[in-house]
């Protein structure tokens, strides 16, 4: 089944749901007019359909390997990467002065979504570079910027991010890597990092590692961590790759999926590095990269959901099995009520999660272009929701895609199983979805719920305005926002953070559910209540949105009932 870029969905969401036009009205993004963004999406869609999608199976069947200390990548990946680089897609949202396109994050997010559908394991490489570019643009010295940015943006060099160590996963503050000043402005970085995506490759001139490590006087925890640029080859006086640095790939992980992406254990042995940002402020600096990557990972989930859906739909339209009681059916399994349920769920969920990610991207762009605090707060609030919901939906939709295929879903040659294996990690890396939910109910509610309430006000106002045209759908969305408002008030009233944490995952999902209802309703209204998106909205609002009620009951239970089940109880036979 060949991948088809969902250009019409992106265009519709841009024009009628998330309001890309307001981004184009700012001075910073005035060139991102409707015509320009449509042409960009068409071009990116073509690359994904023709060049990247054919690499998806190859990456799975012949994953990256380590041979005599050298990482050998999957067949065709070097050419695929080159095509991404030559199209300018790595530096889509990087500043034009360093060779980027200066596009809004919203457009880049749509492109990343398509690339993730086409070949997730390869797409992870430019995604890492994109995050690194943003971190350097915001925090690096002019000298570092001049050496690294043009080469990262052009794709001559690639970027990675090195946080995780065996004892420091979610708890990054537990890391032990060290950095000692060399006395010449550089540092000697030592330590072992694990799970490093694209830790090396055989197609780029250099690999630039952003490494978190502790200076000799760096205190304990996250506050004593600094960030360093540690290249595989140290740039010479002309900025070209010079002598090899003291670092190596120790081994590559054997993984459930994403085989085309080399996940490396890295050893840094007094490797030469340069400080990025201020001493002991590494986590803050790295967060620029991580926030970018979180939205990028959100649409990795959405993109995989899209790919899995397209596969399942094509299969369901051909597979004949049994007879459905409906008249005038197609004679294929798509006529069966349960298969129709699965396909409609897959499509509606993907659409909702995509809308949330694009709304988050619009908030990032507006915050960036206007400096407005409300937009920045919205972006911060939506980021964990977009990441966790987008990737949960990616996993669930890919899982359903296997089910639609029946036994053939379990057989590798259909490609359905690959989606469910590849996408699984998206709910784990870039901060597990559990950590995202805790961020939402703790840090993101520290404003007294202002950002949350502003969103809920908007959802209710739009639902109110829709009552004349689509009364039942509008009432359901309005009621869901009100129930969520009450649950948010409950959250804010809990002084014991663990009571919030105990309900954080269902709270995040309920918020995403309600946002999904809001964006589906907006789509139906824009269509005049009659069309594909209106029928999809009716399906989502009547069958999927009600889940928020049970989720919010769960939210209010607090931590006590959870801890009343002891570790002994859990282990009891
Ligand atoms: C394929 C792959 C690629 C990766 N790429 C990179 C990369 O490029 N760079 C990099 O630095 N890292 C990378 N990682 C690491 C990844 O970010 C971590 O795996 C992730 O952050 C989780 O850490 P952990 O595996 O140690 O799990 P743990 O932190 O041990 O978590 C185990 C479980 O406990 C939960 N948990 C942990 N702490 C808390 C808490 N405080 N409260 C509630 N629940 C908690 C988690 O949610 C999870 O369910 C990658 C991992 C994989 C598998």
């Amino acid at each position: 089944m060949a991948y088809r870029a969902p250009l019409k969905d992106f265009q519709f969401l841009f024009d009628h749901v998330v309001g890309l036009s307001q981004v184009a009205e700012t001075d910073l993004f005035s060139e991102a007019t409707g015509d320009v963004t449509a042409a960009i999406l068409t071009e990116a869609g073509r690359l994904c359909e023709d060049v990247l999608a054919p690499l998806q199976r190859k990456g799975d069947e012949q994953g990256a390997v380590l041979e005599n200390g050298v990482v050998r990548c999957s067949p065709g990946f070097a050419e695929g990467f080159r095509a991404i680089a030559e199209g300018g897609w790595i530096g889509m949202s990087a500043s034009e002065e360093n060779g980027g396109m200066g596009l809004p994050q919203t457009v880049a997010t749509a492109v990343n979504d398509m690339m993730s559908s086409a070949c997730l394991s390869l797409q992870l490489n430019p995604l890492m570079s994109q995050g690194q570019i943003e971190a350097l643009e915001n925090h690096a010295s002019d000298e570092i910027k001049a050496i690294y940015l043009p080469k990262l943006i052009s794709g001559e060099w690639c970027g990675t991010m090195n946080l995780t160590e065996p004892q420091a996963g979610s708890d990054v503050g537990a890391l032990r890597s060290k950095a000692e000043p060399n006395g010449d402005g550089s540092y000697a970085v030592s330590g072992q990092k694990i799970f490093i995506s694209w830790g090396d490759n055989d197609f780029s001139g250099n690999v630039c590692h952003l490494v978190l490590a502790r200076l000799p006087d760096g205190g304990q925890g996250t506050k004593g961590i600094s960030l360093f640029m540690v290249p595989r080859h140290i740039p010479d006086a002309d900025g070209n790759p010079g002598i090899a640095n003291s670092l190596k790939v120790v081994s590559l992980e054997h993984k459930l999926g994403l085989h085309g992406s080399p996940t490396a254990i890295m050893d840094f042995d007094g490797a030469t590095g340069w400080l990025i940002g201020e001493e002991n402020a590494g986590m803050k600096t790295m967060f620029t990269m991580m926030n970018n990557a979180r939205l990028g990972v959100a649409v990795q989930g959405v993109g995989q959901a899209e790919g899995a859906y397209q596969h399942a739909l094509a299969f369901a339209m051909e597979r004949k099995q049994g007879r459905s009681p409906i008249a005038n059916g197609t004679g294929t399994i798509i006529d069966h009520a349960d298969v129709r349920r699965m396909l409609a769920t897959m499509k509606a969920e993907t659409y909702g999660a995509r809308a949330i990610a694009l709304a988050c991207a619009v908030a990032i762009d507006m915050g960036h272009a206007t400096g407005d605090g409300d937009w920045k707060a919205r972006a911060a609030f939506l980021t964990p929701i977009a990441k966790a919901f987008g990737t949960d939906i990616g996993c669930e939709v890919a899982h359903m895609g296997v089910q639609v295929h029946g036994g053939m879903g379990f057989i590798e040659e259909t490609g359905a199983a690959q989606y469910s294996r590849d996408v699984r990690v998206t709910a784990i890396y870039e901060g597990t979805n559990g950590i995202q939910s805790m961020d939402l109910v703790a840090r993101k509610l520290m404003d007294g719920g202002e950002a949350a309430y502003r969103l809920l006000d908007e959802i209710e106002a739009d639902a109110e305005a829709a009552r004349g045209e689509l009364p039942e759908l509008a009432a359901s969305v309005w009621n869901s926002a009100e129930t969520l408002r009450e649950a948010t008030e409950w959250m804010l009233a809990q002084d014991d953070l663990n009571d919030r944490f105990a309900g954080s995952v269902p709270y995040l999902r309920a918020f995403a559910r309600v946002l999904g209802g809001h964006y589906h309703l907006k789509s139906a209204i824009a269509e005049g209540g009659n069309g594909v998106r209106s029928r999809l909205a009716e399906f989502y609002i009547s069958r999927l949105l009600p889940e928020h009620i049970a989720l919010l009951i769960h939210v209010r239970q607090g931590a006590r009932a959870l801890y009343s089940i002891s570790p002994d109880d859990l282990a009891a036979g």
Side-chain angles (χ1 to χ4, degrees):
M1 155 72 210
Y3 166 69
R4 277 183 307 105
L7 300 180
K8 279 193 199 153
D9 268 356
F10 284 119
Q11 207 57 58
F12 191 89
L13 286 164
F14 282 176
D15 295 344
H16 303 292
V17 180
V18 299
L20 181 60
S21 58
Q22 60 193 320
V23 175
E25 278 162 19
T26 65
D27 289 344
L28 185 63
F29 296 120
S30 59
E31 286 171 23
T33 57
D35 288 353
V36 170
T37 52
I40 286 170
L41 286 194
T42 304
E43 196 54 42
R46 205 172 295 138
L47 171 82
C48 293
E49 290 172 355
D50 299 344
V51 181
L52 303 185
L55 300 175
Q56 161 97 338
R57 295 289 300 133
K58 290 184 188 166
D60 193 47
E61 287 163 355
Q62 284 176 262
V65 290
L66 185 66
E67 273 177 10
N68 303 321
V70 178
V71 172
R72 304 267 173 234
C73 297
S74 301
F77 271 35
E79 294 75 15
F81 180 80
R82 197 50 42 215
I84 295 172
E86 281 168 6
W89 303 113
I90 298 169
M92 280 179 285
S93 51
S95 66
E96 289 170 277
E97 66 183 281
N98 293 308
M101 286 200 224
L103 287 172
Q105 194 64 48
T106 313
V107 180
T109 297
V111 175
N112 282 341
D113 177 333
M114 291 191 279
M115 286 193 190
S116 303
S117 298
C119 185
L120 187 67
S121 55
L122 177 57
Q123 186 267 350
L124 184 54
N125 180 320
L127 184 67
M128 293 289 100
S129 291
Q130 283 171 9
Q132 184 168 124
I133 289 164
E134 196 179 338
L136 295 186
E137 281 185 336
N138 284 290
H139 304 286
S141 66
D142 288 344
E143 206 183 340
I144 293 276
K145 282 184 190 167
I147 297 171
Y148 290 90
L149 280 176
K151 291 192 165 65
L152 285 165
I153 290 170
S154 69
E156 206 176 315
W157 295 357
C158 294
T160 73
M161 104 193 214
N162 291 245
L163 291 80
T164 309
E165 298 179 10
Q167 77 296 344
S170 301
D171 183 8
V172 181
L175 67 79
R176 295 189 193 132
S177 290
K178 289 193 177 132
E180 307 257 353
N182 285 330
D184 60 357
S186 71
Y187 294 80
V189 177
S190 300
Q192 193 179 74
K193 296 285 179 182
I194 61 167
F195 297 155
I196 304 309
S197 295
W198 283 96
D200 203 357
N201 68 67
D202 55 3
F203 52 72
S204 64
N206 209 350
V207 179
C208 310
H209 302 287
L210 275 187
V211 183
L212 283 180
R214 219 178 283 282
L215 288 165
D217 58 355
Q220 292 301 303
T222 48
K223 293 205 171 107
I225 297 174
S226 305
L227 183 64
F228 301 88
M229 166 60 78
V230 188
R232 180 182 69 190
H233 285 88
I234 298 172
D236 64 18
D238 300 322
N240 296 314
I243 57 165
N245 211 342
S246 307
L247 60 93
K248 66 174 187 221
V249 173
V250 177
S251 63
L252 295 186
E253 305 288 1
H254 296 280
K255 313 192 292 285
L256 175 68
L258 217 62
H259 296 142
S261 162
T263 308
I265 295 183
M266 302 291 307
D267 185 55
F268 297 88
D269 183 14
T272 305
W274 287 268
L275 184 70
I276 305 297
E278 288 170 25
E279 288 186 0
N280 303 324
M283 278 310 287
K284 194 171 136 236
T285 316
M286 195 64 145
F287 254 107
T288 308
M289 180 164 181
M290 278 155 60
N291 275 332
N292 179 311
R294 280 178 181 173
L295 182 57
V297 172
V299 289
Q300 286 193 327
V302 177
Q304 285 280 289
E306 176 72 41
Y309 169 68
Q310 291 191 14
H311 255 70
L313 179 64
F315 180 86
M317 283 177 151
E318 284 191 356
R319 172 73 174 160
K320 293 193 168 88
Q321 202 66 197
R323 279 229 188 117
S324 149
I326 62 166
N328 304 322
T330 64
T332 69
I333 60 168
I334 204 168
D335 294 342
H336 298 308
D338 187 52
V339 175
R340 199 67 71 91
R341 173 191 66 80
M342 288 192 276
L343 290 168
T345 302
M346 293 165 84
K347 190 175 172 74
E349 292 285 47
T350 306
Y351 189 82
R354 177 172 285 144
I356 293 171
L358 291 175
C360 178
V362 164
I364 292 172
D365 286 330
M366 292 303 290
H368 188 187
T370 65
D372 182 286
D374 285 357
W375 279 115
K376 289 184 179 178
R378 174 159 301 185
F381 189 80
L382 285 177
T383 297
I385 299 179
K387 195 279 176 181
F389 190 66
T391 58
D392 278 348
I393 287 312
C395 295
E396 288 166 28
V397 167
H399 206 64
M400 248 180 221
V402 172
Q403 194 70 13
V404 169
H405 281 77
M408 288 309 288
F410 202 68
I411 305 300
E412 289 291 353
E413 71 200 44
T414 59
Q418 187 186 345
Y419 287 109
S420 67
R421 290 186 289 101
D422 283 0
V423 74
R424 189 62 187 85
V425 72
T426 62
I428 296 170
Y429 61 25
E430 271 321 307
T432 64
N433 287 357
I435 299 286
Q436 302 297 328
S437 308
M438 290 161 66
D439 176 46
L440 183 71
V441 300
R443 259 169 25 104
K444 303 299 163 64
L445 287 184
M446 266 164 56
D447 60 356
E450 247 187 70
Y453 292 138
R454 255 198 312 274
L455 259 171
L456 291 171
D457 290 346
E458 222 171 278
I459 294 170
E460 287 183 1
D462 280 356
E464 205 55 65
R467 277 189 200 269
E469 245 177 295
L470 296 168
E472 285 182 23
L473 300 188
S476 298
V477 172
W478 193 93
N479 290 339
S480 71
E482 201 50 24
T483 315
L484 181 56
R485 186 187 294 278
E486 287 162 15
T488 305
E489 285 162 2
W490 182 91
M491 270 287 173
L492 284 160
Q494 305 314 305
D495 295 330
D496 183 345
L497 257 190
N498 220 25
D499 282 326
R500 294 192 192 186
F501 290 157
S504 61
V505 167
Y507 178 77
L508 183 148
R509 188 171 175 100
F511 218 114
R513 271 274 160 265
V514 174
L515 283 167
H518 170 56
Y519 297 129
H520 272 288
L521 179 62
K522 271 184 112 170
S523 302
I525 289 290
E527 225 181 25
N530 187 15
V532 179
R533 292 183 180 82
S534 305
R535 291 189 284 278
L536 204 61
E538 190 183 339
F539 174 84
Y540 181 97
I541 292 169
S542 60
R543 292 171 192 246
L544 303 181
L545 178 61
E547 188 197 21
H548 78 277
I549 298 169
L551 289 166
L552 293 176
I553 291 172
H554 188 160
V555 164
R556 289 161 177 261
Q557 301 307 307
R560 193 198 52 79
L562 266 188
Y563 288 89
S564 72
I565 305 171
S566 68
D568 285 345
D569 290 342
L570 290 171

